[in-house]
Amino acid sequence: MTVLIERARNAAGLLAAFNDAGVLALADVHVADRVARLGGEPDETVRLAVALTVRALRLGSVCVELATARRTTTSEEEVDLSTLPWPEPPAWRAACDRSPIVAAAGESGRPLRLVRGLLYLDRYWREEELVRRQLQQRAAAPPPPVDLTQLRTDLGRLFEPGGEKQRLAAAVSALRRVTVLAGGPGTGKTTTIARLLAVLCAQPGEPPRIALAAPTGKAAARLEEAVRSSGVPLPDLRASTLHRLLGRRPGSRTRFKHHAAHRLPYDVVVVDETSMVSLTLMARLIEAVRPDARLILVGDPDQLASVEAGAVLGDIVAAKGEPSPALAAALAGVGETGEVVNGVVTLDRVWRFGGDIARLATAVRAGDDDAVVALLRSGSGEVEFVESAAVSGLRTEVVEALATVAEAASGGDAVAALHALEQHRLLCAHRRGPYGVTRWTAEIESWLPADRLTDLSPGRPLLITANDYDAGLYNGDTGVVIQTPDGLRAAFARGGEVMLIPPSRLSEAQPLYAMTVHRSQGSQFDRVSLVLPPATSPLLTRELFYTAVTRARTGLRILGTEDAVRAAVTRPIARASGLRDTLTERART
């Protein structure tokens, strides 16, 4: 694969060498050079460290570990970088320690910070510290007042046998200020949310004010719909995006109306799909939640993390610790057993799907590429492995599914059209290129009749690509054009209801024939077809493969090579962060 490298014209020394090798991008070099010049730092090893820190943020980490920095990747593939002039770690760390642009413990006013061998841009260190400190302080605070007799009664009333982990999560959410509910698709997370909210609402006193939120509009809509359809009597709850919950400020992506000096007015805040929440957004959320409120973080730590820096959910779930004796005693008082560390309860029983899809997901999560390949080659009716260029099966399924959508849309049945749209989804790792969404969108359009390809054709599937707060649409929303007595309308699902919007009001929409795996997070489809890029693609990771596999309820088709499958399963994303190692440390000043 040819790699296009943007070379920094005035770079010299280490920065030039690492830029030429494809390790550093143009922006990494320019930022490092500018920061070093302004701070009076002549040491080129420190400049390299700054550039690698900027690069790490671009790739999702919040810092760079100097001791292991040489185990990095180029922009396209893993390569042997041993020939590059890497500084020796002890001398490198010492140079950064004494640098005028790097702050040490207790210092401030410098653009970077070195802590335990991890080099941060100062802003991200402060955000990580804020999240750590808030989580520790809330864990150490006196537990919320709870009627234990009522709690025990409601746990027995609302949870059926077999749901011990779900019942435990509800008990922890009543007895602790921060709860993490982890688990893969189909493990009953949203059912647990509804029932634990019912447990909290049944406590004596005024009913709690509850906020439901998620990182994207699509995920928020699915959370609201799942809670509403749970059959559990609850107040009329609406879900929103986290940005909308916090109160967006025009022109700013990181500052909101609600913050530490103007807290959210809720007693319980539930955040679904927390794996997609970046470090910056988590810092803004947790400082805006009142100290006496309950915060419930829900998600799957094995899925793809935020496209921005940080993997907070994964860090919290992976953090070591010991069960709290006080919490253990309180849980025993309401008949609950099980060790709970850092407020994390992981649901591990799959309710929604089983068979080979569940076994495949388990093997992917375990990094067992032999088991994954064996399952794909087993000839199962649930899982199909297409290693050739033949796409006849995919074409038949896509055309039939879209025909069902078009038939319902032409008849004005928005509910049926939207349901049919979820029957099958083609997922890609890339947006562009021969394995990307753009190419496959063009391919599918070539399979369809010409009268179904205009923007105003009934049955035209739509993907919203930017938030439109006036129209109530959010990036990632999916819908379909339908025929109504009032003319053509774009139909979108909203919490079990249908929202109809004139197509002329859709400012940022594109045809939905394929989508990236990233955009599919928070969604489920009856059947999924996944196009794998070559094994050398840097986007091909265990988290991406697992996320795609677990979007499917009843059927999965993998199009790619065995090498690509093995590369994905054995290549976990490694996001550098100090959070998981410091969550159980004593709070520092």
Side-chain angles (χ1 to χ4, degrees), residues 443-468:
E443 182 83 9
I444 292 172
E445 287 183 330
S446 73
W447 300 341
L448 301 177
D451 62 353
R452 298 241 307 272
L453 296 178
T454 67
D455 289 340
L456 299 181
S457 300
R460 180 77 156 176
L462 301 171
L463 173 68
I464 300 300
T465 57
N467 292 337
D468 184 343

Side-chain angles (χ1 to χ4, degrees), residues 221-276:
R222 287 190 174 273
L223 171 62
E224 181 179 319
E225 182 177 0
V227 170
R228 284 172 173 268
S229 61
S230 66
V232 179
L234 286 169
D236 184 21
L237 298 176
R238 302 283 177 174
S240 71
T241 64
L242 280 170
H243 287 79
R244 197 168 183 86
L245 174 71
L246 293 171
R248 63 188 180 95
R249 283 184 173 177
S252 175
R253 297 178 58 197
T254 60
R255 293 294 167 183
F256 301 92
K257 181 176 72 174
H258 292 286
H259 45 76
H262 184 208
R263 308 274 190 172
L264 289 164
Y266 298 103
D267 305 302
V268 181
V269 177
V270 179
V271 181
D272 199 10
E273 297 294 346
T274 309
S275 64
M276 301 165 64

